[in-house]
Amino acid sequence: MGNGMANVITSSGETLPMTDPRVQILIPSMGKFATEALAAVFRGKGLNALAHPPSDEAVLKIGRANTSCKECLPLILTTGTLLNYLQNEKKDGNILVYFMPTGSGPCRFGQYQIFMEDLVRRLEIPNVALFSLTSENSYAGWGNNFQLKVWWGIIVSDAMEDIRSMILANATDVGAAISILDQEWDLIIGQFEKGDFAPLEKQLDSTAQLIKRIHMKHPIEEMPTIALVGEIFVRRDGLSRQYLTERLAEKGFATICSPIAEWILYTDFLVDKGLVDCKMTKMEKLAFIVKKKFMARREKRIKSILSKTGMVHIEPLDVKAIVNNAIPYISPNLAGEAILTVGSSLTEIVSHACGVIAIGPFGCMPNRLSEAILNEAMNREGKLATNPKNGRLRAALANIDDLPFLAIESDGSPFPQVINAKLETFCLRAERLHNIMLEVGN
Ligand code: SF4
């Protein structure tokens, strides 16, 4: 696609530029913050982009009615989203371009786009096209400048997700605090649309100052925190994760959801290490190096501003360390989410979180692989291997064998009784570890 944008050919044969207002780009929801940020960055590029609201029962029902239901949950929900929009929202005369990232690797993700194209053909839906960027070349396609702006959106939306979780679990007046967050989010979205970093920074700073003043029940550093890891779509989508963040908040736990940025940095890592089939010219390689430098700088800057809330970690994401922590159990040559789920779980537990929940769609292969590994590795030896010389870690783990870990598979329906019971036990164990962490000052 190059730095320019492709054209769209309508069913009647007319060629329209992507920036034509009749070309509506629809972004399926992968959590409110990330989807809205991405749509705003697209609008900043002059595109008529819309973030679909988070999936609900109706979307799930339409998705199930148009798939065999053996597909992965994210595919069922994105199918439901597309058809729901076409049935209820699409304006006559508009051309719909559905945003659908793609990639290969050891799972079915690469088939999503093919399935969708087939669906549109089968149902003879006019004026619908798919728009994909691929993880194989680290989502290159529209040039570094656009990628960088998407990156700002990802870093900020990841942080907002964690701020929201902390507010849900800890704010004295949750309703009032969430409406402050929503108002601030609208202002941030306005800055993404404008696309300049300096005013965005200014806005983030003012947002951080306001959020810092929200009255909390407990000091933030004393809040028990659960790391939510696993498949990238399900861990971010409210319906898929069955509102786990809200349920944990009711039990007094804040949730840190593994960031989307982790996956983006991982795709760069794969390109760097030659673990994906991506051939670059010398110039492209140079541009790739420059892009990574700018990304690191912006990540540092945004996190340093938002860390003033006390709810966002200032340290930049270290994907190499995450992968290294997983290497004793899984080869880095097996590219995909499993290595990140294993590495993040072992990295976060005790260091930042008192429990880890790994969630994924029913039947998801990378998720089952990581679950099998983590059932064995989430114990004292597994954690100490990530940082053998850390005295505080040794003290915290002195009387603990197994670490609080729960694996959940979701098909979008309410969790079965057995998972609810396991969740109760998990929370008790996490609370116990949290108290030990407070005692040793971890
Ligand atoms: S990661 Fe899991 S849910 Fe996603 S495409 Fe692969 S198998 Fe399906």
Side-chain angles (χ1 to χ4, degrees):
M1 207 177 265
N3 266 351
M5 279 181 266
N7 292 327
V8 176
I9 301 170
T10 68
S11 297
S12 60
E14 193 186 352
T15 304
L16 298 175
M18 286 276 270
T19 44
D20 189 295
R22 285 169 293 169
V23 177
Q24 172 85 77
I25 298 188
L26 179 67
I27 305 178
S29 182
M30 202 173 84
K32 167 187 158 73
F33 293 118
T35 314
E36 290 183 0
L38 185 59
V41 174
F42 273 86
R43 288 196 293 276
K45 208 170 160 61
L47 303 168
N48 178 11
L50 180 76
H52 195 277
S55 301
D56 55 15
E57 293 296 334
V59 165
L60 180 63
K61 208 170 151 192
I62 303 177
R64 281 179 175 162
N66 287 277
T67 56
S68 70
C69 294
K70 288 182 195 153
E71 297 84 353
C72 312
L73 180 60
L75 179 60
I76 295 174
L77 288 174
T78 44
T79 301
T81 299
L82 173 63
L83 297 176
N84 180 56
Y85 184 81
L86 289 170
Q87 282 168 18
N88 303 314
E89 310 283 341
K90 184 175 174 283
K91 290 194 191 102
D92 287 344
N94 268 8
I95 315 300
L96 187 74
V97 176
Y98 196 46
F99 182 69
M100 199 79 210
T102 189
S104 64
C107 73
R108 294 175 271 181
F109 185 47
Q111 298 302 310
Y112 282 19
Q113 193 198 355
I114 295 164
F115 174 92
M116 285 285 182
E117 278 169 359
D118 188 52
L119 178 90
V120 170
R121 211 173 301 124
R122 220 170 356 104
L123 298 181
E124 297 178 2
I125 309 170
N127 292 327
V128 173
L130 293 183
F131 164 45
S132 296
L133 297 173
T134 173
S135 59
E136 296 298 291
N137 62 4
S138 187
Y139 304 106
W142 274 2
N144 277 358
N145 191 30
F146 175 71
Q147 271 181 289
L148 262 180
K149 289 178 182 176
V150 171
W151 178 243
W152 309 345
I154 289 172
I155 297 288
V156 174
S157 58
D158 281 342
M160 285 293 159
E161 172 88 16
D162 292 343
I163 290 172
R164 178 178 170 273
S165 299
M166 180 58 77
I167 286 175
L168 288 177
N170 198 19
T172 313
D173 184 342
V174 173
I178 290 290
S179 65
I180 292 174
L181 188 68
D182 286 345
Q183 282 162 21
E184 290 301 301
W185 180 242
D186 287 344
L187 297 172
I188 294 169
I189 283 290
Q191 293 305 333
F192 285 138
E193 286 170 349
K194 289 183 187 145
D196 290 325
F197 193 70
L200 172 67
E201 263 188 312
K202 216 166 146 207
Q203 178 56 53
L204 291 177
D205 194 55
S206 122
T207 300
Q209 301 299 343
L210 208 61
I211 289 174
K212 198 168 103 183
R213 291 204 291 272
I214 293 175
H215 196 261
M216 296 286 164
K217 290 184 255 185
H218 309 284
I220 287 166
E221 55 288 356
E222 288 178 16
M223 279 297 286
T225 303
I226 302 296
L228 184 61
V229 302
E231 196 275 333
I232 193 164
F233 184 99
V234 167
R235 73 177 189 240
R236 289 264 148 191
D237 174 55
L239 182 83
S240 304
R241 67 186 183 195
Q242 281 298 302
Y243 312 102
L244 204 46
T245 306
E246 289 75 3
R247 287 176 69 179
L248 287 168
E250 276 170 22
K251 293 176 188 296
F253 293 94
T255 306
I256 308 177
C257 190
S258 279
I260 295 175
E262 179 189 77
W263 176 256
I264 304 294
L265 292 175
Y266 177 64
T267 59
D268 283 353
F269 173 88
L270 292 176
V271 171
D272 255 344
K273 301 281 173 206
L275 295 169
V276 279
D277 187 19
C278 170
K279 300 205 174 23
M280 289 192 209
T281 62
K282 276 195 182 140
M283 281 310 287
E284 282 169 341
K285 251 184 215 152
L286 190 65
F288 179 67
I289 293 167
V290 172
K291 179 202 79 170
K292 284 196 304 168
K293 280 220 156 58
F294 272 102
M295 280 170 66
R297 245 187 250 167
R298 291 309 190 211
E299 181 191 0
K300 200 168 160 200
R301 188 70 201 124
I302 291 171
K303 285 189 171 170
S304 122
I305 297 170
L306 290 177
S307 66
K308 290 176 194 163
T309 58
M311 305 177 202
V312 174
H313 292 303
I314 195 165
E315 315 94 57
L317 268 167
D318 187 349
V319 163
K320 208 168 146 208
I322 291 173
V323 169
N324 280 342
N325 286 340
I327 277 180
Y329 310 95
I330 185 166
S331 163
N333 293 324
L334 183 66
E337 285 190 312
I339 197 163
L340 292 179
T341 304
V342 172
S344 299
S345 302
L346 288 165
T347 306
E348 290 299 308
I349 191 72
V350 192
S351 304
H352 295 122
C354 58
V356 172
I357 297 179
I359 192 162
F362 181 78
C364 168
M365 196 272 279
N367 213 59
R368 286 202 173 163
L369 178 61
S370 47
E371 177 186 346
I373 293 171
L374 287 167
N375 277 333
E376 295 297 316
M378 283 292 275
N379 53 35
R380 183 171 51 226
E381 289 69 36
K383 178 62 190 179
L384 283 177
T386 65
N387 199 348
K389 292 190 183 139
N390 188 321
R392 274 211 294 234
L393 190 59
R394 282 192 173 277
L397 293 171
N399 296 313
I400 290 186
D401 289 328
D402 292 328
L403 295 162
F405 169 67
L406 178 64
I408 299 178
E409 283 197 341
S410 169
D411 66 357
S413 306
F415 294 149
Q417 208 47 46
V418 64
I419 292 294
N420 289 328
K422 281 186 180 176
L423 190 60
E424 292 296 325
T425 319
F426 166 83
C427 287
L428 290 174
R429 294 178 60 216
E431 196 181 346
R432 195 172 140 240
L433 178 58
H434 172 68
N435 291 335
I436 294 172
M437 286 162 64
L438 281 183
E439 268 168 37
V440 300
N442 228 25

